Amino acid sequence: MLNLLGQILTYIVPFLLVLTLVVTVHELGHYWVARAFGVKIDRFAIGFGRALFQRTDKRGVEWRIGWMPLGGYVKFSGDLDASSVPDQAGLDELKARIASEQGAHALTDYYHFKPVWQRMLIVAGGPFANFVLAIVIFTAIFTLLGDQIAPPRVAEVPSGTPGAAAGFRPNDLIVEVNGRPARSAQDVIRVVSLSSNTPVIFTVERNGQPLTLTAVPERTATEDAISGRVAVGRIGLPLVTRRDEVRFIRYNPVEAVGAAGRQTATVLETTLSYIGRIFSGRESGALLNGPLGIAKAAGGITSQATEGEAPASLKAINLALMLFQFAAILSIGIGFINLMPIPVLDGGHLVFYAYEAVARKPVAAVVQEAGYRVGLALLACLMLFATWNDLQKLNLFKFLGGLVS
């Protein structure tokens, strides 16, 4: 029982806290933009299923928390279907009903009768809020803690590795990777891990002189407490940093915002690069995570932050910082996914509204229905694929094989 409680506190609770924060901010993005345009809203919900908490405010909005905290939604008055994009017949029916019950003047309060550009901004408000959350978190961290520059040096060059084949030598200082500054070992790992079988150009400093080397990372199976078992690019070079070369940069609030924006852009760029390599067949997609993988990562972060002999207060601060950083990265990912042009996601709604803006009429009902079904199928396939990855990373199949062998 104690072990089960420990697992819940280590994995489930941090996962739900981080996910709830990201989802709440996403839905608030939709909500506040809709409020700014005077849209009538029926419900703001976090979680699904039976309500654990619900309250209706003076504007008539029901605020609701469901027992299953794995998502959320904003329900606008007059929503006819799950896609929230009715066709012309649905709009005409809704307009007639509202006009007969409340008068024609009430139409301006309803989401579906707002100008298309306003509806597009309301839809985009959710992903935009996710990016803003990431920037706010990174800004707070850069303002409070600054940034650490830890130049990566090659500790040793094992024979037979891609690094050895490229001509690296011990004590080489890696200055740039593919033309980007290498401020820490993580900057190197980020590029190399997503460049399996693809040449990576390094600028190194050797005995005070610049030198260009090209290495081709090999896809190698690795395992750590956060990601689990994954196969990523490696060049086989242990990296270290000299203590006398480590320096800290302090930012004022304005500089911190700029640094946070650059950090957010880097995460987005890495995500786009990885997705592009999947579609081009150069990556397997093994790094895509589902709920199990996210929970595993949250648990790994919790374990790392709380291990050691430090005082409990310092562990708590370290844990909070690491989970906030994790929330920022997850928020960027959720914002990006929601902008994908799949009908059941915000990006799909934007595609429908873009058509409406050009054609001056909503997408036909039959097209919306087909798109909605295809979108659900695509999301189901994506979730199944991500869950399969999660189970493989957790070595569940190997564990079950051991049970039946």
Side-chain angles (χ1 to χ4, degrees):
M1 178 62 70
L2 291 177
N3 184 56
L4 176 61
L5 180 60
Q7 294 293 315
I8 292 175
L9 292 176
T10 300
Y11 292 91
I12 306 302
V13 172
F15 164 65
L16 292 180
L17 288 175
V18 169
L19 183 63
T20 300
L21 170 64
V22 173
V23 170
T24 300
V25 169
H26 178 93
E27 299 304 331
L28 283 173
H30 294 308
Y31 175 82
W32 284 114
V33 178
R35 277 280 307 277
F37 290 132
V39 174
K40 188 176 180 180
I41 300 170
D42 288 342
R43 177 182 293 169
F44 181 97
I46 298 300
F48 302 101
R50 178 176 297 180
L52 299 177
F53 167 85
Q54 59 186 116
R55 183 181 68 84
T56 302
D57 64 19
K58 61 183 180 181
R59 296 185 178 86
V61 180
E62 178 192 355
W63 296 82
R64 177 188 181 98
I65 298 177
W67 70 270
M68 188 184 301
L70 295 176
Y73 61 93
V74 177
K75 184 179 184 298
F76 302 120
S77 296
D79 275 355
L80 300 177
D81 53 29
S83 68
S84 293
V85 189
D87 64 352
Q88 190 62 54
L91 286 173
D92 291 341
E93 179 186 347
L94 178 61
K95 181 183 293 186
R97 177 162 55 85
I98 294 173
S100 64
E101 294 176 355
Q102 305 175 39
H105 66 278
L107 291 174
T108 57
D109 295 335
Y110 285 77
Y111 171 79
H112 298 297
F113 302 109
K114 293 292 184 180
V116 66
W117 66 269
Q118 291 187 8
R119 282 177 276 147
M120 294 181 77
L121 288 178
I122 292 170
V123 168
F128 178 76
N130 284 130
F131 299 138
V132 170
L133 173 62
I135 292 174
V136 168
I137 291 174
F138 288 140
T139 297
I141 292 174
F142 285 137
T143 300
L144 295 174
L145 303 179
D147 195 11
Q148 177 178 284
I149 306 298
R153 284 187 178 273
V154 177
E156 59 179 304
V157 183
S159 60
T161 62
F168 279 94
R169 296 181 184 177
N171 206 41
D172 280 350
L173 176 65
I174 300 178
V175 179
E176 292 182 352
V177 184
N178 281 344
R180 298 290 184 89
R183 294 151 50 98
S184 68
Q186 287 302 315
D187 291 335
V188 179
I189 294 171
R190 183 185 302 114
V191 176
V192 170
S193 62
L194 298 181
S195 300
S196 299
N197 304 316
T198 301
V200 177
I201 300 174
F202 296 86
T203 300
V204 303
E205 185 179 296
R206 180 181 298 169
N207 300 322
Q209 299 297 320
L211 183 65
T212 300
L213 302 174
T214 301
V216 181
E218 292 180 348
R219 185 175 284 114
T220 306
T222 63
E223 185 166 358
D224 60 52
I226 295 178
S227 300
R229 182 165 56 90
V230 294
V232 294
R234 288 286 184 265
I235 58 174
L237 300 179
L239 301 178
V240 296
T241 299
R242 292 178 179 174
R243 182 173 298 180
D244 61 329
E245 292 180 333
V246 177
R247 58 191 179 91
F248 291 88
I249 300 176
R250 304 295 299 181
Y251 294 107
N252 61 43
V254 175
E255 292 171 335
V257 171
R262 291 190 294 272
Q263 181 72 11
T264 301
T266 297
V267 175
L268 264 177
E269 182 183 0
T270 302
T271 302
L272 286 169
S273 174
Y274 180 60
I275 297 297
R277 289 179 63 84
I278 291 176
F279 280 104
S280 64
R282 291 178 291 175
E283 293 291 345
S284 64
L287 295 181
L288 291 177
N289 286 327
L292 292 176
I294 298 173
K296 173 70 166 59
I301 289 171
T302 302
S303 298
Q304 283 191 0
T306 56
E307 66 184 8
E309 302 298 327
S313 59
L314 290 179
K315 288 184 178 181
I317 293 173
N318 189 35
L319 175 60
L321 287 172
M322 293 182 70
L323 286 180
F324 272 118
Q325 287 181 303
F326 182 55
I329 295 172
L330 180 61
S331 188
I332 295 170
I334 287 181
F336 170 78
I337 289 174
N338 271 277
L339 286 176
M340 295 179 69
I342 299 175
V344 293
L345 299 177
D346 294 331
H349 286 70
L350 291 174
V351 171
F352 284 159
Y353 290 143
Y355 171 87
E356 181 180 343
V358 174
R360 303 295 182 181
K361 62 180 180 179
V363 177
V366 63
V367 177
Q368 291 189 47
E369 183 179 357
Y372 189 62
R373 290 179 177 177
V374 171
L376 282 177
L378 287 174
L379 280 183
C381 291
L382 180 62
M383 287 301 299
L384 286 173
F385 179 71
T387 302
W388 175 267
N389 281 341
D390 293 342
L391 295 176
Q392 288 186 314
K393 294 172 191 175
L394 294 172
N395 290 320
L396 181 62
F397 299 116
K398 181 178 180 180
F399 170 73
L400 292 177
L403 289 179
V404 299
S405 62

